[in-house]
Structure formats: C-alpha cells, structure tokens
Amino acid sequence: MSIDDFLYSLGGAVERVIMLVIRGLKSFFFPRPRKSPPSFPISGRLSSKYTPHERVSLHLQLLFILYIASSFVLVALVNRPFLFLALSCVYLLYLRYALNAYGDFLIDPAPYRFFYYGLSLLSFLVFVGYLVLKRLNENVVWYYAYLLAVVVSVIAFWIYFKRKFGRDYTYGVVEEVKNDLLRVFVHDDISANVKPGFYWLPAVPDAEPGRVVKVLVENRAFRGARPVRILEVYLSQSSQSSTEPKNATE
C-alpha cells in the first residue's frame, strides 16, 4: 500500500470516528424518545424477565444508588470535591438522557421524573452542604444539627411527593383465575408505593385473564403498600409485557 493510499484510508477512518462521536454526543445531550425497549448493560441483565416499565424503573434505582454510594466515597472518605462535582454533572446528564429517551416506557412518567430529579438535586445539595461544613471545621454539634436538617428535608420532600402524586390505587393485569381468587400482575408504581409482582386478590365479575384492573392498595408504615382488592375492571385486553394500563385509564 502506498503512502497516499494509507493516508487516504487513515483520513476516512478518522472521519468516521468523528461522525460517530458527534452523533453519540448529539443523542446524549439532545435525547429523543426511543421506539424500542431499553437495554442497559447492567440492570438489563437483572431485569431481562421484567416488562419495559420495570426495566426502566430498576435502572433508575440502580443509577441513583450508585451515585449516592460513589458520592459518599468521594466526599466523606477520600475528600475529592472536584471529582464529586464532575460525577454529579455526568450523573445528572445521564439521568436526563435516560428519562427522556426511555420515559415513555414508564406507565406514568411524571412522578418518576419529579422523584428522581428532586431527590437527586436534594442529594447533591446535601453533599455540597457537608463539604462546606467540613471546610468551616465547625463543632461536632453542627454536624448533628445538619444531619437533623437533612432528615427533615427528606421527609418534607416525601410528604410533598405523596401529596402531589400519591394515590391509594394502582393498575394491574389479570393473569389467572382460580376459584374465588385472581392472580394479578402489578407493575412497579412509585405513586402508589407498590412493588412489582403477582398478587392473589378476591375475584370480581368480568375479571378474565388479560383484563386490565384498577386495584386498591393499603399503605403500611415503613413498608411498601399492599394490593388488597379490585376496584374496577376495564374491557381492554392487555398483557404483562405491555404498558396498556396507562392507555386504559386515560
């Protein structure tokens, strides 16, 4: 291969790499809703058997936990404030990307956006406040007072979230009818504080496999809410892997 051919091939390869980088950055900073279900490197393996809604929800949970754990290490253990700020910028940008690109797979996106944006911002401010307090080198009493303020802030955020988005019902899909009981699949629902899974509920008329149902939940202190009975049966058919409960309730 001549030098001219080599340089021409090298230039073409560099151009392709630059175009890939530009498209990747454009997709990251200006995300558009995706038409295909999400597939994440880590949480995708853990949630391969779940619905697209659960996949996105699980990924957001793992992402937030990883951010909190990494921030704690950088701020409290190794004292690297600039790395913490860089991590926070990357995390918030990726959180925005994930919610915009895959938010439509959530049955009700608004509560998830408010919850994760709000809680992430609150967490960032908590770590920043700790860094400021640490730099001032105040008495240990101030640390206890700051910890109390953090607890109060988290509780206040949760109360406001529950008042804005909280509800005592959720939606599910009838999977099986057995005697006087129904086996209902309930999606992860942050507004109702319900964990995803199958629940046995008392049977009601017209509840057949594939039907979307409205389910009453019972709140329990310091634990997730528990589905107790069916309030309404919708005529539309659905399946465990769809997001049709959202469409049935609109």
Side-chain angles (χ1 to χ4, degrees), residues 122 125-127 143-156:
L122 180 61
L125 294 177
V126 167
F127 284 115
Y143 285 94
Y144 288 116
Y146 183 69
L147 179 61
L148 178 62
V150 169
V151 173
V152 171
S153 299
V154 172
I155 294 175

Side-chain angles (χ1 to χ4, degrees), residues 44-113:
R45 296 180 181 179
L46 299 178
S47 60
S48 58
K49 63 179 180 180
Y50 296 144
T51 69
H53 171 90
E54 270 72 44
R55 293 181 190 180
V56 176
S57 178
L58 178 59
H59 184 73
L60 293 174
Q61 293 176 42
L62 293 177
L63 183 66
F64 178 72
I65 292 173
L66 181 62
Y67 169 68
I68 294 297
S70 302
S71 297
F72 178 79
V73 172
L74 293 176
V75 172
L77 299 184
V78 299
N79 193 24
R80 295 292 188 271
F82 291 107
L83 287 179
F84 162 70
L85 293 176
L87 171 68
S88 298
C89 290
V90 173
Y91 164 74
L92 291 174
L93 285 172
Y94 185 77
L95 179 65
R96 173 179 173 270
Y97 164 79
L99 286 170
N100 288 345
Y102 299 107
D104 287 347
F105 289 99
L106 295 169
I107 293 177
D108 191 3
Y112 288 85
R113 289 194 173 99

Side-chain angles (χ1 to χ4, degrees), residues 4-26:
D4 291 339
D5 292 338
F6 173 75
L7 293 177
Y8 180 80
S9 300
L10 181 62
V14 171
E15 182 180 5
R16 288 192 294 272
V17 171
I18 292 175
M19 292 303 298
L20 287 174
V21 172
I22 291 175
R23 284 198 293 267
L25 291 175
K26 183 178 179 181

Side-chain angles (χ1 to χ4, degrees), residues 4-247:
D4 291 339
D5 292 338
F6 173 75
L7 293 177
Y8 180 80
S9 300
L10 181 62
V14 171
E15 182 180 5
R16 288 192 294 272
V17 171
I18 292 175
M19 292 303 298
L20 287 174
V21 172
I22 291 175
R23 284 198 293 267
L25 291 175
K26 183 178 179 181
S27 175
F28 183 77
F29 287 103
F30 304 98
R32 295 181 178 180
R34 299 296 181 89
K35 296 181 179 179
S36 58
S39 177
F40 300 111
I42 299 176
S43 59
R45 296 180 181 179
L46 299 178
S47 60
S48 58
K49 63 179 180 180
Y50 296 144
T51 69
H53 171 90
E54 270 72 44
R55 293 181 190 180
V56 176
S57 178
L58 178 59
H59 184 73
L60 293 174
Q61 293 176 42
L62 293 177
L63 183 66
F64 178 72
I65 292 173
L66 181 62
Y67 169 68
I68 294 297
S70 302
S71 297
F72 178 79
V73 172
L74 293 176
V75 172
L77 299 184
V78 299
N79 193 24
R80 295 292 188 271
F82 291 107
L83 287 179
F84 162 70
L85 293 176
L87 171 68
S88 298
C89 290
V90 173
Y91 164 74
L92 291 174
L93 285 172
Y94 185 77
L95 179 65
R96 173 179 173 270
Y97 164 79
L99 286 170
N100 288 345
Y102 299 107
D104 287 347
F105 289 99
L106 295 169
I107 293 177
D108 191 3
Y112 288 85
R113 289 194 173 99
F114 182 89
F115 181 82
Y116 282 104
Y117 280 141
L119 199 59
S120 297
L121 179 59
L122 180 61
S123 302
F124 172 76
L125 294 177
V126 167
F127 284 115
V128 170
Y130 176 78
L131 286 172
V132 173
L133 193 62
K134 192 174 182 179
R135 183 169 292 273
L136 294 176
N137 196 24
E138 296 289 349
N139 190 279
V140 68
V141 176
W142 288 98
Y143 285 94
Y144 288 116
Y146 183 69
L147 179 61
L148 178 62
V150 169
V151 173
V152 171
S153 299
V154 172
I155 294 175
F157 173 80
W158 178 247
I159 292 175
Y160 180 78
F161 175 82
K162 292 294 289 184
R163 288 183 176 180
K164 185 177 180 64
F165 295 104
R167 42 185 165 78
D168 60 356
Y169 61 88
T170 187
Y171 299 94
V173 180
V174 178
E175 295 290 332
E176 182 183 352
V177 179
K178 188 174 183 180
N179 298 327
D180 294 332
L181 295 175
L182 299 175
R183 187 168 182 256
V184 178
F185 175 79
V186 175
H187 289 274
D188 166 82
D189 190 340
I190 197 172
S191 296
N193 194 27
V194 175
K195 296 180 180 180
F198 293 94
Y199 298 88
W200 288 99
L201 303 176
V204 296
D206 300 325
E208 302 173 355
R211 289 284 178 88
V212 178
V213 292
K214 185 177 182 179
V215 180
L216 177 69
V217 299
E218 180 183 72
N219 289 311
R220 298 179 295 177
F222 308 110
R223 291 186 294 175
R226 179 181 61 185
V228 291
R229 63 185 177 89
I230 295 173
L231 297 174
E232 190 173 352
V233 179
Y234 297 95
L235 298 179
S236 60
Q237 296 288 319
S238 184
S239 66
Q240 180 182 334
S241 60
S242 72
T243 55
E244 289 179 13
K246 174 181 66 175
N247 300 327

